[in-house]
Amino acid sequence: MSTPHPSRSGRRGAASVEMALSMVALIPIFMYALFLDDLLRYSLDNQEAAVTTIWDFTTQDYTKGLKQSGGGGKGPQGGSSNVQHNARLTYCDHESGIDRPDVMSGSNYADCEDTDHHLAVVAHVCWMNDNAQQVTCSAPDTGAASLGGFSDDYQDEFTNGGLIFCEARAVVENYLLPEEFLPEFSKVKLTRENWKDKGVENVHSNAEEGTKANAYFLKKETMGILTDTWALTQDADISPSDSSGEMYDRMKNQYTSVPTYNAMRTQMQDFRQKITEDLLDGTMLYMFEDSPEDPYISIHPHLANMQTPANTVDQEGSTRYFNQEWRDWDQDKNQNTYKHGERGDWYMGCKDAESC
């Protein structure tokens, strides 16, 4: 019977110790990798809430003030604007991958009601903390888009957009990593508090108690955008006899804001007085005159049923007038372009907007 060689036995013992030490080191490294993966994912979700919400403000109707949230449901009320309210509902579970409104009843929003996002093994992310911030957007700063001069009056009267900011900041709490590892060898804490002992079912209460000493607060994400299209929302179909509508009101604002308008108006009134001073009553003149005090505008869309772009003007009878260079009685290029199908119903003849 032979006995093991002393050197081989020593090597085997050393290898076993190395293997044990390696396993001791690999386990926390693996756990940390899981935790950091969750932390990175939550950070990206936090960023998405601020960055994507701001772009919803580019599609609003700025001829009016932003639509205000009416609240409703059991989810967050969402601040003042509808945009912020809807964003908070979408990001109740901190991500937009599956947006789950209850479209049938309108009284439930699964992203807010369901607790499936509480079941993360490694960490839990939450908005519910005084130092956290659910996605929050500011009211438009209309002064940021000021162009100066008489355009300020136009902007104040007809537009409501401006510089808008959205912000979001979440808190993340550890539910996996031990605070200490091999405390007999090191007194340094490896992570912040482990909240699992306080109950996974109490994740919201735990989140409210989190501080910078026992939880992880993600960087506040901020995104701003300057948006105001000054766009019209009503079809422009105006005859010279019309004196209202979005386009007419905007044109009148600019027409009466030019520096020479008041001087012209004063001279016109003096002229009118002089030509009527020998008349007993100038009422008829005032009723039927084309006064330069008010602008006149003529726009009629060319519809697909071959109606020509013209308006009817009451002037010693009803007469149709083209309101653009539809015909010039020479080559009639605009009319012929339409008739030959080169333009059709498309803006400037562009059938595919992406290719023009």
Side-chain angles (χ1 to χ4, degrees):
M1 181 175 180
S2 61
T3 57
H5 195 279
S7 60
R8 293 180 181 175
S9 179
R11 285 197 298 269
R12 289 173 183 171
S16 298
V17 172
E18 290 176 1
M19 180 65 71
L21 290 176
S22 297
M23 291 302 295
V24 169
L26 285 174
I27 290 174
I29 291 174
F30 177 72
M31 295 171 67
Y32 261 97
L34 292 176
F35 179 76
L36 291 177
D37 179 73
D38 267 10
L39 201 62
L40 176 60
R41 179 163 54 87
Y42 292 146
S43 179
L44 292 175
D45 289 340
N46 182 68
Q47 185 181 68
E48 181 191 17
V51 171
T52 61
T53 298
I54 193 69
W55 291 103
D56 291 337
F57 285 95
T58 63
T59 60
Q60 303 306 303
D61 178 7
Y62 288 106
T63 61
K64 308 175 181 65
L66 286 174
K67 289 184 178 180
Q68 302 301 296
S69 167
K74 298 179 181 179
Q77 295 306 297
S80 57
S81 70
N82 251 2
V83 174
Q84 176 179 300
H85 173 71
N86 292 332
R88 287 190 169 191
L89 292 175
T90 298
Y91 290 100
C92 258
D93 57 356
H94 309 280
E95 56 90 21
S96 63
I98 302 177
D99 193 20
R100 302 166 294 174
D102 185 346
V103 295
M104 299 303 294
S105 69
S107 61
N108 190 336
Y109 210 98
D111 281 6
C112 300
E113 301 297 324
D114 290 353
T115 58
D116 51 356
H117 68 287
H118 297 169
L119 305 179
V121 175
V122 180
H124 176 254
V125 61
C126 196
W127 303 115
M128 299 177 65
N129 186 288
D130 289 341
N131 291 317
Q133 184 175 358
Q134 196 169 8
V135 57
T136 301
C137 301
S138 64
D141 178 3
T142 56
S146 175
L147 300 176
F150 60 83
S151 63
D152 284 351
D153 294 334
Y154 178 93
Q155 183 178 357
D156 292 342
E157 184 171 353
F158 299 112
T159 69
N160 294 277
L163 182 62
I164 305 171
F165 287 99
C166 287
E167 298 179 330
R169 188 184 191 188
V171 58
V172 179
E173 293 182 336
N174 167 35
Y175 276 79
L176 175 67
L177 298 178
E179 295 180 56
E180 297 178 335
F181 183 70
L182 298 178
E184 59 271 21
F185 296 104
S186 174
K187 301 300 182 183
V188 178
K189 288 190 175 183
L190 300 182
T191 183
R192 293 172 187 171
E193 184 172 342
N194 186 313
W195 295 83
K196 189 172 182 178
D197 293 338
K198 295 189 177 183
V200 177
E201 67 279 1
N202 298 321
V203 288
H204 282 165
S205 298
N206 294 344
E208 291 175 351
E209 296 176 9
T211 66
K212 292 182 178 180
N214 57 26
Y216 297 88
F217 287 86
L218 300 176
K219 177 184 176 182
K220 178 183 287 188
E221 297 292 344
T222 303
M223 180 72 174
I225 191 170
L226 182 62
T227 178
D228 191 340
T229 63
W230 289 26
L232 295 168
T233 59
Q234 298 175 0
D235 292 336
D237 189 356
I238 307 173
S239 296
S241 58
D242 296 333
S243 58
S244 63
E246 279 186 358
M247 189 164 189
Y248 181 86
D249 293 340
R250 293 188 182 201
M251 190 190 74
K252 183 174 181 179
N253 176 277
Q254 295 300 286
Y255 178 77
T256 58
S257 296
V258 295
T260 57
Y261 173 78
N262 288 329
M264 177 277 295
R265 185 169 180 270
T266 299
Q267 293 180 14
M268 184 275 296
Q269 290 174 343
D270 290 343
F271 176 74
R272 178 201 289 166
Q273 182 178 0
K274 289 179 181 179
I275 64 173
T276 59
E277 61 186 5
D278 293 333
L279 301 177
L280 296 177
D281 187 0
T283 302
M284 294 297 292
L285 174 64
Y286 297 149
M287 289 177 61
F288 295 101
E289 70 174 343
D290 290 333
S291 172
E293 288 184 289
D294 297 315
Y296 292 88
I297 185 171
S298 178
I299 292 179
H300 182 71
H302 188 172
L303 304 177
N305 58 5
M306 290 299 293
Q307 292 185 20
T308 57
N311 289 99
T312 300
V313 179
D314 294 328
Q315 191 177 43
E316 297 181 357
S318 295
T319 306
R320 297 280 289 176
Y321 291 92
F322 295 124
N323 54 47
Q324 55 173 273
E325 59 277 15
W326 177 246
R327 294 188 63 189
D328 57 16
W329 284 271
D330 181 12
Q331 298 183 28
D332 298 338
K333 291 183 178 181
N334 276 27
Q335 185 185 54
N336 290 331
T337 298
Y338 183 85
K339 285 183 177 180
H340 288 114
E342 297 174 23
R343 176 170 294 185
D345 297 327
W346 307 286
Y347 177 72
M348 298 301 291
C350 182
K351 297 181 182 180
D352 182 4
E354 297 296 330
S355 65
C356 298

